Structure formats: structure tokens, C-alpha cells
């Protein structure tokens, strides 16, 4: 009798404590979510999109491809404060990464378009970026038998502006950067972060960074004013038109200096920071955030912990860490 009891008790204990099974690898229930898997795409379309991404014929003088400003080997942007347009003049906004951009709720710093296709439509004709027009692009691509063939195989109407945009957007949807140490942590590998990195994540939540940088992209899902708790722009000086943010679109006073909250994925490899590229380092960027978005003056230790956490957000592309 007592033996049975002990055995039963032992079994219950074993069940409760998960004895005999490997350490639990259940996903954590956190406000931030790991990247989803890349949704299945037509490989021929992805390949066409990849070629178009590297195609200088998309710019008016055949000098710039998407890849000229969005370097995939180094974070999906370039490391310049401002990329140079087709005419060699700087674009007035810092280049954001293309990595994981498909997960953002809108595109561009001011979120003026909803889709990747619309973003491409704009950048090709932008007088400060590629400077072309769609008629010319379609004409130039059609002149190449290889493009003729590739488009004809995928689209009944062959080379067209909409189809160029569709192929490029399809490729961009494959540009996700999975497997960051933080995502592995979220997926249940809680040992992968150091204690300091875990404290950093806790601080990120406790101070309220997560109120704005949240969701699957740790940002990219809302608009916020830059300078909620203080006048960032007066302190910085030299106001320029692109500082106006969504005000340029709506003309509404409440949209002055309002921007899309950027994703913090891969942030350690995408310096410089902010739409105006004013922060050269992650340290500078986090200082500005504390001062103007939170109105807080944290200890040096807390800032350093948060930066250590931010460094766990670097993922992989093409099987290699960024
Ligand atoms: C001259 C440099 C340059 C070139 C060339 C360029 N981009 Fe960009 N890209 C930028 C800049 C600068 C922005 C931000 C502009 C803004 O917010 O108004 C941007 C924004 C984007 C965004 C929005 C990201 C986000 O999170 O809001 C995507 C996506 C993107 N580019 C993809 C592309 C693709 C695809 C091409 C080729 C068709 C391309 N870019 C060509 C500089 C460039
Ligand atoms: C009230 C909303 C809000 C809060 C809170 C907030 N941020 Fe931000 N964050 C933004 C916005 C908006 C931007 C873009 C500003 C710009 O460039 O115009 C930004 C930009 C950044 C950037 C630069 C990203 C890039 O690619 O340029 C970093 C890094 C950053 N935030 C980290 C943090 C940290 C860390 C905290 C907490 C200490 C924090 N943020 C709190 C809204 C917020």
C-alpha cells in the first residue's frame, strides 16, 4: 500500500516538476514577438525581384539600384548619415533598413504609404533618389530579352510598372532576419541571454520604451511625436522641412514632428540613428530617447543594460549574423 502511494506520489511529483523531460522550450508569453517564418513565395518571382533590387536601370542615369543605398551585407541600409541620390546630392533623410520592412504597418519615416509596392513606386520617381519615371523604366527593362522572358513567364501582361513593383515587393518579403539571440530567448531558450541582457530587457519594459517600440518588429506599428517630453528640434537647431514629419502630409498641427516609430531589430548595426541621422552611436540615441521621449534621467548602469539588450536584437540574413 505504502509502496503504491509512494510511487503515485513520485509520479505526480515527476509530472509537476517535469522530471525526466528535457528543459522546457515553450515560447515565452511576452509583449514582443519573434519574427514569423518567411511566407512561401514563388521562387521565380523572388529571383526576378532580387535582380531588380540590384538593377541600376531603375534610376534615371543608370547609377543607382536599390542596393546602392540598402546594403544587405551591412544591416540593410548604408552607414552614411545621408545616402546620395542619382545626382550625387544627399537625400534629406537617413536611409532606414529594408530588412523586416514588410512587417511595418506603413512605409517611410512619415508613413506616407501603406504598401511596399507604393514605396517602390515613389522611390523610382523621387527627384532626390532615383529620379526616373515609370515609362522610362518599363521601356528600358523591356529592351532586355532576359527581363522580357522572365516577366512574360510570371505575368500575363509582361513588363509593367505594377509587375516590377510586385516582383520587388515579393523579394522584400523574403528579407527577414530571424534567429537573433532575443528571438531565440522568446522561443524558449532562456539560457541564451546573459543576466545583464535580461536585466536590460526588464529596464526596456520598466522605463516604457516598449510603449512605442513593440510588436513583432519592436517598432514599426505606430506614429509618435519625436519630442514628447521636450523640444528636441529647438535643442538640436537648424530646422529643415523633413523634420516636420507627418505635418507635411496632413497640415495638422498635431502631426508636427510625428514619425513612424522605427523598428529596433538589428539596431546595433544600423548607425547612424534617427530620421536626421543626428545620433552617431546607440549610446547617443538612447540618451535622446530618455530625455525627449520619456523625460527621464536614468543611471549610467540602466542605460548600459538597455544597450546590451538592444544588441541581442541582431538577427541573421542568408544564414549569417548581420
Ligand atoms: C538614394 C538612396 C536610396 C535608394 C536608391 C533607394 N532607397 Fe529606399 N530609402 C531611402 C531613404 C532615404 C528612405 C527613407 C525616405 C523617407 O522616409 O521619406 C528609404 C526608404 C525605404 C523603405 C521604407 C522602410 C521603412 O521602414 O519605412 C523601403 C522598404 C525601401 N526604401 C526600399 C527601397 C527599394 C525597394 C528601392 C529600389 C527600388 C530603394 N529603396 C531605393 C534611400 C534609398
Ligand atoms: C513615445 C514613444 C517612444 C518612446 C517611449 C521611446 N521611443 Fe525610441 N523612437 C521613437 C520615435 C518616434 C523614433 C524616431 C525618431 C526620429 O528619428 O524621428 C525613435 C527612435 C529610436 C531609436 C533610433 C532607431 C533608428 O533606427 O534610427 C532608438 C535606438 C530608440 N528609439 C530606442 C529607444 C529606447 C531604448 C527607448 C527607451 C529608453 C525608447 N526608444 C523610447 C519613439 C519612442
Amino acid at each position: 500500500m505504502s509502496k503504491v502511494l509512494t510511487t503515485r506520489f513520485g509520479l505526480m511529483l515527476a509530472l509537476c516538476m517535469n522530471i525526466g523531460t528535457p528543459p522546457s522550450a515553450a515560447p515565452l508569453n511576452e509583449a514582443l514577438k519573434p519574427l514569423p517564418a518567411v511566407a512561401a513565395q514563388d521562387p521565380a518571382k523572388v529571383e526576378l525581384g532580387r535582380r531588380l533590387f540590384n538593377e541600376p536601370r531603375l534610376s534615371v542615369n543608370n547609377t543607382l539600384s536599390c542596393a546602392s543605398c540598402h546594403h544587405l551585407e551591412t544591416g540593410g541600409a548604408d552607414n552614411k548619415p545621408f545616402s546620395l541620390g542619382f545626382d550625387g546630392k544627399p537625400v534629406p533623410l537617413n536611409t532606414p533598413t529594408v530588412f523586416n520592412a514588410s512587417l511595418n504597418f506603413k512605409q517611410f519615416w512619415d508613413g506616407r504609404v501603406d504598401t511596399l509596392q507604393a514605396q517602390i513606386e515613389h522611390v523610382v520617381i523621387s527627384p532626390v533618389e532615383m529620379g526616373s519615371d515609370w515609362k522610362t523604366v518599363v521601356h528600358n527593362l523591356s529592351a532586355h530579352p532576359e527581363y522580357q522572358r522572365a516577366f512574360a513567364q510570371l505575368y500575363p501582361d509582361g513588363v509593367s510598372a505594377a509587375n516590377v513593383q510586385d516582383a520587388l515587393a515579393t523579394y522584400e518579403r523574403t528579407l527577414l532576419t530571424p534567429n537573433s539571440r532575443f528571438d531565440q530567448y522568446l522561443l524558449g531558450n532562456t539560457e541564451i541571454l546573459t543576466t545583464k541582457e535580461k536585466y536590460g530587457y526588464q529596464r526596456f519594459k520598466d522605463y516604457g520604451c516598449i510603449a512605442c517600440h513593440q510588436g513583432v518588429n519592436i517598432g514599426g506599428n505606430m506614429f509618435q511625436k519625436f519630442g514628447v517630453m521636450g523640444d528636441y528640434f529647438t535643442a538640436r537647431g537648424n530646422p529643415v522641412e523633413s523634420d516636420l514629419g507627418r505635418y507635411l502630409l496632413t497640415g495638422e498641427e498635431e502631426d508636427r514632428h510625428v514619425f513612424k516609430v522605427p523598428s529596433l531589430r538589428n539596431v546595433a548595426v544600423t548607425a547612424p540613428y534617427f530620421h536626421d541621422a543626428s545620433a552617431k552611436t546607440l549610446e547617443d540615441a538612447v540618451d535622446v530617447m530618455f530625455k525627449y521621449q520619456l523625460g527621464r534621467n536614468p543611471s549610467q548602469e540602466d542605460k548600459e543594460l538597455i544597450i546590451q539588450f538592444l544588441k541581442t536584437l541582431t538577427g541573421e540574413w542568408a544564414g549569417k549574423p548581420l
Side-chain angles (χ1 to χ4, degrees):
M1 177 72 190
S2 93
K3 193 169 174 227
V4 172
L5 261 182
T6 326
T7 320
R8 271 207 194 136
F9 181 65
L11 180 68
M12 274 163 59
L13 194 71
L15 283 174
C16 291
M17 295 177 60
N18 248 339
I19 293 171
T21 55
S24 133
L28 307 189
N29 186 16
E30 289 287 331
L32 302 182
K33 301 290 176 206
L35 284 176
V38 173
Q41 312 283 353
D42 178 345
K45 232 181 231 187
V46 173
E47 174 53 21
L48 177 59
R50 191 194 62 76
R51 274 168 57 193
L52 292 167
F53 193 84
N54 292 283
E55 178 53 80
R57 290 188 188 92
L58 295 188
S59 64
V60 66
N61 52 1
N62 294 344
T63 54
L64 290 183
S65 69
C66 311
S68 306
C69 300
H70 298 285
H71 302 181
L72 298 186
E73 326 69 54
T74 54
D78 56 20
N79 51 13
K80 301 188 183 93
F82 303 107
S83 309
L84 304 181
F86 75 94
D87 54 1
K89 294 200 188 118
V91 181
L93 288 156
N94 180 246
T95 301
T97 180
V98 277
F99 281 124
N100 312 309
S102 60
L103 304 175
N104 290 339
F105 83 134
K106 311 263 177 185
Q107 302 298 323
F108 289 128
W109 281 102
D110 59 9
R112 65 187 175 280
V113 302
D114 288 343
T115 63
L116 292 172
Q117 284 90 330
Q119 192 283 324
I120 297 158
E121 187 182 353
H122 279 64
V123 69
V124 166
I125 62 174
S126 158
V128 294
E129 288 167 306
M130 300 178 110
S132 193
D133 63 84
W134 281 99
K135 218 177 138 200
T136 309
V137 168
V138 169
H139 179 264
N140 290 348
L141 295 177
S142 303
H144 282 264
E146 272 192 41
Y147 277 122
Q148 282 256 353
R149 211 174 313 123
F151 275 94
Q153 270 166 14
L154 290 163
Y155 302 98
D157 52 343
V159 185
S160 73
N163 296 343
V164 171
Q165 291 157 20
D166 180 71
L168 270 168
T170 305
Y171 176 58
E172 287 182 281
R173 283 187 208 104
T174 69
L175 300 179
L176 302 188
T177 61
N179 239 1
S180 69
R181 289 199 303 121
F182 183 65
D183 276 7
Q184 294 182 53
Y185 169 81
L186 290 178
L187 289 167
N189 184 357
T190 51
E191 302 300 305
I192 197 154
L193 296 190
T194 66
T195 309
K196 285 194 164 179
E197 289 163 346
K198 287 179 192 165
Y199 280 146
Y201 177 36
Q202 197 55 46
R203 301 288 187 284
F204 185 85
K205 293 192 275 191
D206 292 346
Y207 278 109
C209 309
I210 202 168
C212 297
H213 298 277
Q214 53 168 259
V216 74
N217 239 0
I218 318 181
N221 72 352
M222 67 172 84
F223 294 120
Q224 285 287 337
K225 187 180 167 112
F226 190 12
V228 180
M229 303 301 288
D231 189 343
Y232 165 80
F233 292 94
T234 302
R236 190 205 64 194
N238 295 324
V240 289
E241 196 180 55
S242 50
D243 292 334
L244 294 173
R246 293 187 55 73
Y247 179 83
L248 283 173
L249 301 174
T250 67
E252 303 278 347
E253 200 44 48
E254 62 188 26
D255 286 333
R256 188 180 289 269
H257 305 316
V258 169
F259 293 89
K260 183 179 72 189
V261 175
S263 165
L264 296 183
R265 289 191 173 275
N266 307 307
V267 73
V269 298
T270 60
Y273 304 105
F274 301 137
H275 74 279
D276 60 3
S278 60
K280 289 194 182 59
T281 63
L282 216 38
E283 286 74 8
D284 296 347
V286 173
D287 279 347
V288 167
M289 283 289 124
F290 267 113
K291 186 160 182 198
Y292 294 102
Q293 300 306 84
L294 291 166
R296 300 286 295 271
N297 188 11
S299 66
Q300 189 59 27
E301 193 198 353
D302 281 0
K303 278 195 288 194
E304 280 165 13
L305 290 171
I306 287 180
I307 288 164
Q308 294 206 27
F309 159 66
L310 294 177
K311 289 181 177 167
T312 70
L313 302 178
T314 307
E316 291 175 357
W317 183 68
K320 280 186 274 179
L322 279 175

